[in-house]
Amino acid sequence: MTSRPPVPPRMSDVAERAGVSKMTVSRVLSGRSVSQATREKVQKVIDELGYVADAAAGALSSGRSEFVAVLVPSLSSSNFSDTVRGLTAAFSPHGLQLLLGDTDYRLEQEELLVRSMLRHQPRCVALTGSRHTEATRTLLRRAGIPVVEMWDLPADPIDTAVGFSNATAARAMVRHLHECGYRRIGFIAGASERDRRGLDRMRGYVAEIKALGLGEPRVIRLGESPITMSHGAPAIGALLEAWPDTDAVMCVSDMSAFGAIMECHRRGLSVPRDIAIAGFGNFEVSWCCQPTITTVSVDAYGIGLRAGETLLAALAAREAGQTSRTKAVKIDFEVIARDSA
Amino acid sequence: MTSRPPVPPRMSDVAERAGVSKMTVSRVLSGRSVSQATREKVQKVIDELGYVADAAAGALSSGRSEFVAVLVPSLSSSNFSDTVRGLTAAFSPHGLQLLLGDTDYRLEQEELLVRSMLRHQPRCVALTGSRHTEATRTLLRRAGIPVVEMWDLPADPIDTAVGFSNATAARAMVRHLHECGYRRIGFIAGASERDRRGLDRMRGYVAEIKALGLGEPRVIRLGESPITMSHGAPAIGALLEAWPDTDAVMCVSDMSAFGAIMECHRRGLSVPRDIAIAGFGNFEVSWCCQPTITTVSVDAYGIGLRAGETLLAALAAREAGQTSRTKAVKIDFEVIARDSA
DNA sequence: TTGAAAGCGATACCAG
DNA sequence: CTGGTATCGCTTTCAA
């Protein structure tokens, strides 16, 4: 009985056994012009030996990896994991692999991850949001590869961007609630400064409340990002304590909206009869919940897909010696009126 | 005004500019013994140049990458993303980076990803479940690196495993419902054969129903994996149509349990008064929902953490020339009685 | 269509 | 503590 080979086979082993040169093996692997007979012969040996080419050697030699660096604030938020799916859909047909990183909503963590990912010479980078440390920006600029910022429209993009204005989207929701007749509208947000998109929504709310002359903003800030379902209950409790006559509440996310609605049920408040509640994101819970939740729909998957396409276009342009023209892709959002408001 | 350097600096550039050899730069980077003065001098140049070491070259030269390959059925399921967080917690202190892959519950996709990840010479591999294609098993065995299978306890593990018996956990829930006095208990599962853990839960349900003499199993199979919230509503509809006198329903996941409960609300059925509903997984929704959902709690984060520790131990043992002894780590689960059942 | 030789950019190893 | 040299496994380039 032979023991497992301590050393995996190399391309030279395959070449030798197939009676060809390394180059021929390399060509077979990369699907380039090789005679049918040789190709089959080599492929047979590859299969027999279970040969797996070393990507590090290939990357070093060719000067290009097959990696795309992707950074999201949280892998467990369904909107970001949808974005990741979109990126995967864009890149995997091109044989590019995602190098995924979870920044936990922290810019320093993002910087750390960018630094560590850049070591692998990714072909391009997708990151979330428009705020980054100065070091991150410098690192990315020096890397000289295409970069896309997702989920926002930065005033000063590093390279390109695919997103929408979170403030504008929030204003649209406030207007919707206003049109529905609500006048004493509150807002539930996270307490941390880390989630800029959440803060932008809050700013949009405040701006629109003022624009509509609806009095002082009623904002409750509570809890860390990512905002989850358990955020909603204490938040609406605090809101109703501070402003008992509130007739509608807008939440920074469908997650908190759901938590708030469940808390209302517990208190015997009927939604929307006693109080209207709206969310943001069009998460699955928003249309599965009873009552269904009025929300702002954003195509998270589409953001990833478009971001991927933008990067691929930049890569292709670069290959052709041109400069890509796309600088920003604006993603649509839509207020979806449902039962809860 | 100088244009951006078309070629990023190399270690030799740093060495030259700092007046030392490449080896000294390498030592500074890896934190090995270098005189304080030299270290500072070199670090200064590194910062000035924005030098980022090439990981591919390092991996090729040292024969070891800093990658850990991780495969989960779905990145957007909160249980698996918690497991990924656990793995990250275990590995990042050791400077190891996760190479994440989403198999979409498909074994062929898993095989494809394993093949592609193995090209990067990962130090070890964590995959989900006990079922894999024969090619996957062969690839992994030939790779000769530590492997852990998560979320199940395979009869024939590739190497090591960290998980629990999904069938046993489901039986515990059936017993719990039985102890609560329910006798006409149904089960809601996915229709696809792809999610083995879901199927194991279903099998556990059937076995326990028989063991308790509760008559014929009442199983509704509907929808693809991953099972999401929208699964629950049609499933409970079908169940109540087939067996209108059902007094309790056990769901393959908290997601479907939630969807089922919302559907009951819609139909004016009170949970648990008219019908009891239990879930699986102790997802956030299970304790935020009104009523709170009776479920089986599994420490998803802990599975990832333990899996990471198991792999690290195997790596350390290997380093020391020994064989790691750990073969399987059994993770506890617990039936959590809440309002819904 | 195929092969030989020359690196890619880092680290291991051995000297000094 | 520091430096030189060989080398990792593959692809590029050029020649046959």
Side-chain angles (χ1 to χ4, degrees):
Chain A
M1 172 177 165
T2 63
S3 66
R4 165 172 33 77
V7 169
R10 303 303 176 206
M11 190 179 275
S12 54
D13 301 321
V14 176
E16 194 179 352
R17 188 145 162 184
V20 298
S21 73
K22 280 195 303 176
M23 267 323 298
T24 301
V25 178
S26 174
R27 289 189 182 107
V28 169
L29 251 29
S30 57
R32 270 178 292 203
S33 59
V34 173
S35 77
Q36 187 59 27
T38 316
R39 154 160 283 117
E40 281 166 10
K41 184 171 59 181
V42 172
Q43 189 59 55
K44 185 154 160 286
V45 176
I46 289 177
D47 294 341
E48 280 169 17
L49 260 45
Y51 170 66
V52 177
D54 183 330
L60 177 58
S61 178
S62 66
R64 48 161 48 192
S65 79
E66 307 288 75
F67 283 129
V68 173
V70 174
L71 295 159
V72 291
S74 156
L75 274 174
S76 39
S77 287
S78 76
N79 47 358
F80 296 125
S81 57
D82 282 344
T83 296
V84 168
R85 283 197 308 108
L87 285 161
T88 305
F91 286 116
S92 49
H94 295 258
L96 295 175
Q97 188 162 65
L98 303 196
L99 206 49
L100 272 176
D102 183 328
T103 69
D104 195 25
Y105 286 92
R106 288 180 290 125
L107 299 187
E108 315 74 47
Q109 179 67 10
E110 179 180 73
E111 178 183 328
L112 222 65
L113 284 167
V114 165
R115 202 181 291 276
S116 126
M117 288 182 176
L118 246 24
R119 288 171 36 86
H120 297 284
Q121 317 267 79
R123 294 276 273 279
C124 50
V125 181
L127 40 171
T128 308
S130 53
R131 297 253 310 181
H132 317 282
T133 67
E134 203 42 60
T136 301
R137 304 180 78 93
T138 306
L139 278 166
L140 290 172
R141 258 194 274 267
R142 281 213 246 221
I145 55 179
V147 173
V148 66
E149 291 165 274
M150 307 182 291
W151 280 92
D152 203 348
L153 291 173
D156 173 28
I158 298 175
D159 182 13
T160 62
V162 174
F164 62 99
S165 163
N166 284 273
T168 306
R171 296 187 71 147
M173 176 58 91
V174 175
R175 275 199 304 279
H176 171 77
L177 294 173
H178 183 257
E179 281 160 16
C180 290
Y182 301 108
R183 292 295 178 270
R184 298 179 303 279
I185 305 170
F187 191 87
I188 286 177
S192 103
E193 295 295 309
R194 298 181 333 199
D195 177 11
R196 306 304 303 188
R197 291 161 297 290
L199 291 179
D200 285 345
R201 289 170 203 163
M202 182 179 85
R203 275 197 280 272
Y205 155 84
V206 171
E208 192 62 28
I209 288 291
K210 302 230 157 157
L212 292 172
L214 294 181
E216 280 308 299
R218 305 167 171 213
V219 176
I220 291 293
R221 299 192 59 183
L222 212 67
E224 284 299 301
S225 296
I227 295 300
T228 64
M229 291 174 171
S230 47
H231 176 251
I236 196 159
L239 185 72
L240 290 177
E241 181 154 350
W243 298 283
D245 66 339
T246 300
D247 60 5
V249 182
M250 178 175 167
C251 302
V252 72
S253 148
D254 284 343
M255 293 292 131
S256 24
F258 171 76
I261 290 174
M262 292 298 125
E263 176 65 14
C264 288
H265 285 358
R266 254 170 240 127
R267 295 179 176 212
L269 292 173
S270 163
V271 177
R273 216 191 47 220
D274 297 325
I275 187 164
I277 296 182
F280 197 107
N282 197 23
F283 293 0
E284 189 179 32
V285 72
S286 73
W287 42 276
C288 288
C289 180
Q290 171 66 14
T292 56
I293 305 178
T294 293
T295 190
V296 177
S297 159
V298 180
D299 183 5
Y301 179 87
I303 290 179
L305 191 65
R306 300 297 302 277
E309 290 167 351
T310 303
L311 289 173
L312 285 167
L315 249 16
R318 188 162 300 216
E319 199 107 352
Q322 301 157 9
T323 309
S324 170
R325 317 244 32 214
T326 312
K327 281 301 143 194
V329 176
K330 205 167 153 184
I331 295 292
D332 288 331
F333 58 82
E334 186 189 355
V335 173
I336 301 192
R338 296 211 182 97
D339 297 342
S340 72
Chain B
M1 175 177 164
T2 62
S3 66
R4 164 168 37 73
V7 170
R10 304 302 175 206
M11 189 178 275
S12 54
D13 300 322
V14 176
E16 194 181 351
R17 188 146 163 182
V20 299
S21 73
K22 281 197 303 177
M23 267 321 299
T24 301
V25 178
S26 175
R27 289 188 182 108
V28 169
L29 251 30
S30 57
R32 272 178 290 203
S33 59
V34 172
S35 79
Q36 187 59 25
T38 316
R39 156 161 281 117
E40 282 167 8
K41 186 172 55 182
V42 172
Q43 189 59 54
K44 187 155 160 284
V45 175
I46 289 176
D47 295 341
E48 279 169 15
L49 261 42
Y51 170 67
V52 177
D54 183 330
L60 177 59
S61 177
S62 66
R64 47 160 48 190
S65 78
E66 307 289 74
F67 282 130
V68 173
V70 175
L71 295 160
V72 292
S74 156
L75 273 174
S76 39
S77 287
S78 76
N79 46 358
F80 296 125
S81 59
D82 282 344
T83 297
V84 169
R85 284 198 308 110
L87 285 161
T88 305
F91 285 116
S92 49
H94 296 257
L96 296 175
Q97 188 162 64
L98 303 196
L99 207 47
L100 273 177
D102 184 328
T103 70
D104 195 26
Y105 285 92
R106 289 180 289 126
L107 299 187
E108 316 74 47
Q109 179 67 8
E110 180 181 72
E111 178 183 328
L112 221 65
L113 284 167
V114 164
R115 202 180 291 276
S116 127
M117 288 182 175
L118 246 25
R119 288 171 34 86
H120 296 285
Q121 317 268 75
R123 295 275 274 279
C124 49
V125 181
L127 41 172
T128 308
S130 53
R131 297 253 308 181
H132 317 283
T133 66
E134 203 42 58
T136 301
R137 304 180 79 92
T138 306
L139 278 167
L140 290 171
R141 256 192 275 268
R142 283 213 245 221
I145 53 178
V147 173
V148 66
E149 290 166 275
M150 308 182 290
W151 280 91
D152 203 348
L153 291 174
D156 172 30
I158 298 175
D159 182 15
T160 61
V162 174
F164 62 99
S165 163
N166 284 274
T168 306
R171 296 187 72 147
M173 176 58 91
V174 174
R175 275 200 304 281
H176 172 77
L177 293 174
H178 182 256
E179 281 161 16
C180 291
Y182 301 107
R183 291 295 177 270
R184 299 179 300 282
I185 305 171
F187 191 87
I188 286 178
S192 105
E193 295 294 309
R194 299 180 335 197
D195 178 11
R196 306 304 302 187
R197 292 160 297 291
L199 291 179
D200 285 344
R201 289 171 202 162
M202 183 179 83
R203 275 198 280 273
Y205 155 84
V206 171
E208 192 64 26
I209 288 290
K210 302 229 157 156
L212 292 172
L214 293 181
E216 280 308 298
R218 308 169 171 212
V219 177
I220 292 294
R221 299 191 59 182
L222 211 67
E224 285 298 300
S225 296
I227 294 299
T228 63
M229 291 173 171
S230 47
H231 176 251
I236 196 158
L239 184 72
L240 290 177
E241 183 154 349
W243 299 283
D245 66 338
T246 300
D247 60 5
V249 182
M250 178 174 166
C251 302
V252 72
S253 148
D254 284 344
M255 293 293 130
S256 25
F258 171 75
I261 290 174
M262 291 299 125
E263 177 64 14
C264 289
H265 285 357
R266 253 169 242 128
R267 297 180 174 213
L269 293 172
S270 163
V271 177
R273 215 191 47 220
D274 298 323
I275 188 165
I277 295 182
F280 197 107
N282 197 24
F283 293 1
E284 189 180 31
V285 72
S286 73
W287 42 276
C288 287
C289 182
Q290 169 67 13
T292 56
I293 304 177
T294 293
T295 190
V296 177
S297 159
V298 181
D299 184 5
Y301 178 88
I303 290 179
L305 192 64
R306 300 298 302 277
E309 290 167 351
T310 304
L311 289 172
L312 285 166
L315 248 17
R318 188 162 299 216
E319 198 107 354
Q322 302 156 12
T323 309
S324 171
R325 317 247 29 217
T326 311
K327 281 300 143 195
V329 177
K330 205 167 153 187
I331 295 292
D332 288 332
F333 58 80
E334 187 190 355
V335 173
I336 302 193
R338 295 212 182 98
D339 298 342
S340 72

